[in-house]
């Protein structure tokens, strides 16, 4: 299984995630942006996820809820840009901290053996980024990437 | 005339703008978000501005073009959140640097004598922020705020 690289430099509001997949950019893009598949890979394992909307087009919006024994966590955002098989740029807000909005840019780059997914998240402040890192972000990202890899292999 | 404060700390992707207006939050919000008035205040003086769309609602999008003797500059984005008289959060992209998207958060806070407009822009990288500052950002922001103040006084 390929490794997920997470880079969150101290004193910055940035988080970068890189992961290679044994698939074409088109295959990975299709699975990643399919509203009916989101609940099967996005977020840490063991959470129940309800996707209210996930309208992947410029100006489209999304909202989903993660639920575990400690409570419910709702997230929302809008899509700024969507380029088929190449790029998604979207906002991200946890409703528990209203007004603290991040911007996520996800690119799909072909490699010699597959596709490289790269996500750059820019938080509204260094403090917000640090809270996100301390909240267990890394486990959630690694689980998401591993679940996505399994799903891409299955959906091919 | 009230002063505009611009704060762009070195080594960060942030720009903060603060300006007080002799108006109510409702008056300032109305003028600031009116699509028919955008061309009268947004940007440096002396540019010709064409507003293609400016749909101020969550998921709404905008696009406008600034034109001067050196050429045309198109900007676009989507609105993430709009709270009447209080808050606007939107993305911002100059089409000359596609994929380099900022997030702007604008708040309208009542003060004893009027309203304080505060805008925090978060750029996708420190380098992009620095290029924006070097491109003459400060003149554009000060002109915009002064033009907005004059317009609010007129539109009341």
């Amino acid at each position: 299984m390929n490794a997920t690289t997470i880079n969150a430099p101290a004193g910055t509001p940035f988080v970068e995630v890189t992961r290679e997949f044994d698939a074409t950019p088109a295959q990975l893009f299709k699975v990643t942006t399919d509203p009916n598949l989101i609940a099967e890979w996005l977020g840490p394992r063991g959470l129940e996820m309800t996707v209210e909307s996930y309208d992947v087009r410029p100006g489209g919006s999304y909202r989903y809820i993660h639920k575990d024994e400690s409570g419910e966590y709702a997230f929302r955002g809008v899509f700024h840009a969507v380029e088929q098989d190449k790029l998604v740029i979207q906002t991200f807000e946890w409703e528990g901290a209203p007004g603290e909005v991040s911007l996520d840019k996800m690119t799909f780059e072909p490699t010699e053996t597959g596709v490289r997914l790269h996500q750059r998240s820019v938080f509204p402040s260094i403090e917000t980024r640090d809270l996100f890192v301390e909240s267990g972000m890394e486990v959630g990202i690694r689980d998401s990437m591993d679940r996505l890899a399994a799903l891409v292999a299955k959906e091919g």
Side-chain angles (χ1 to χ4, degrees), chain A:
Chain A
M1 186 170 273
N2 299 329
T4 299
T5 306
I6 303 175
N7 192 18
T12 77
F14 309 127
V15 174
E16 303 224 37
V17 177
T18 309
R19 166 77 179 232
E20 301 204 4
F21 294 84
D22 304 324
T24 65
Q27 286 170 325
L28 182 63
F29 184 89
K30 186 168 177 294
V31 171
T32 307
T33 58
D34 185 335
N36 299 314
L37 295 178
I38 291 290
E40 295 187 37
W41 69 270
L42 188 61
R45 293 178 205 281
L47 287 188
E48 188 186 320
M49 182 171 179
T50 308
V51 179
E52 268 188 14
S53 62
Y54 209 85
D55 186 12
V56 187
R57 58 176 181 81
S61 63
Y62 72 86
R63 184 171 191 265
Y64 59 80
I65 298 156
H66 276 147
K67 190 175 174 180
D68 67 9
E69 59 280 359
S70 70
E72 291 194 358
Y73 305 88
F75 302 88
R76 67 161 67 227
V78 297
F79 293 93
H80 169 91
V82 178
E83 291 177 30
Q84 177 98 27
D85 305 340
K86 286 189 184 158
L87 169 84
V88 177
I89 300 176
Q90 68 199 85
T91 62
F92 173 86
E93 179 179 19
W94 172 43
E95 292 182 5
E100 297 295 317
V101 181
S102 308
L103 196 76
D104 295 339
K105 177 180 179 176
M106 196 183 267
T107 56
F108 302 74
E109 299 163 38
T111 65
E112 283 191 11
T113 58
V115 54
R116 184 180 302 114
L117 179 67
H118 179 259
Q119 179 170 300
R120 182 177 176 88
S121 298
V122 182
F123 286 79
S125 67
I126 296 168
E127 295 72 24
T128 312
R129 202 290 310 259
D130 287 347
L131 283 173
F132 188 68
V133 169
E134 288 157 17
S135 76
M137 167 200 82
E138 192 167 331
V139 171
I141 291 173
R142 291 193 195 282
D143 274 6
S144 295
M145 292 297 107
D146 290 348
R147 296 171 75 195
L148 182 56
L151 193 60
V152 169
K154 192 180 97 183
E155 298 281 331

